[in-house]
């Protein structure tokens, strides 16, 4: 399994030259477990986005058939040291490099996820299904997609340097159900 994170804001147009980095699956936190701030940096930046889960093995995937390779969407938060410039996979190897919420099938997935922090920051991220198909097709044209691979379509800055015991939560824009909720420790 691999996790690919695209370096773009979720509202940006998709550009086939957009940089992506690979995060090890050992960096994933899920099931509401807390994010323990690593001692490797004095401050941390939290960004929110939409993760896409791949359900089929494939390569050379046409954009027309790409939706068949997506079985779920989830809200996610990525973390990096706040003082870092540029995109570098070494900055995401720590446990909590990506924090995943509950997966939803494409049929039940809301059009947007609403992210909030206990300090008052709020960001809404749209679930752009046509863009996710374009990204699956792009990755499938350059390599092999495997069952369980995760693609983070983009990231929007949510907060920097949250205090200890802060919480980050994401809810479905459709019915308000909580899909992601974790503490910063």
């Amino acid at each position: 399994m691999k996790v690919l994170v695209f370096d773009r804001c979720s509202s940006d147009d998709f550009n086939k030259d957009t940089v992506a980095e690979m995060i090890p699956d050992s960096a994933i936190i899920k099931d509401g477990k807390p994010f323990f701030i690593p001692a490797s940096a004095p401050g941390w930046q939290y960004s929110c986005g939409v993760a896409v889960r791949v359900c089929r093995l494939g390569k050379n995937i046409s954009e027309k058939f790409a939706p068949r390779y997506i079985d779920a969407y989830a809200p996610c938060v990525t973390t990096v040291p706040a003082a870092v410039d540029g995109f570098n996979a070494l900055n995401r190897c720590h446990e909590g490099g990506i924090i995943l919420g509950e997966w939803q099938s494409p049929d039940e997935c809301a059009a947007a996820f609403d992210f909030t922090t206990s300090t008052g920051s709020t960001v809404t991220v749209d679930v752009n299904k046509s863009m996710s198909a374009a990204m699956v097709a792009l990755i499938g044209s350059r390599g092999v997609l495997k069952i369980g691979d995760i693609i983070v379509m983009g990231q929007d800055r949510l907060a920097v340097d949250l205090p200890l015991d802060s919480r980050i939560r994401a809810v479905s824009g459709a019915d308000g159900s909580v899909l992601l909720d974790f503490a910063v420790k």
Side-chain angles (χ1 to χ4, degrees), residues 3-6 8-11 47-53 70 72-78 98-104 106 109-115 123-129 131-132 135 150-156 170-171 179-180:
V3 180
L4 290 168
V5 178
F6 280 87
R8 54 180 291 284
C9 289
S10 62
S11 60
S47 298
C48 54
V50 177
V52 176
R53 187 174 63 198
I70 299 169
Y73 295 87
C76 69
V77 172
T78 58
I98 182 167
I99 303 159
L100 292 173
E102 289 182 37
W103 292 103
Q104 293 188 311
C109 184
F113 296 128
D114 299 318
F115 292 83
V123 174
T124 298
V125 178
D126 292 331
V127 178
N128 188 328
K129 294 178 182 176
M131 187 176 302
S132 64
M135 290 181 172
I150 297 170
I151 302 164
V152 178
M153 299 192 301
Q155 314 167 82
D156 295 317
V171 298
L179 301 173
L180 174 68

Side-chain angles (χ1 to χ4, degrees), residues 8 28 36 51 81 83 86 93 109 121 126 150 153 161 166 168:
R8 54 180 291 284
I28 296 172
F36 291 96
C93 289
C109 184
S121 298
D126 292 331
I150 297 170
M153 299 192 301
D161 293 339
S166 296
I168 295 179

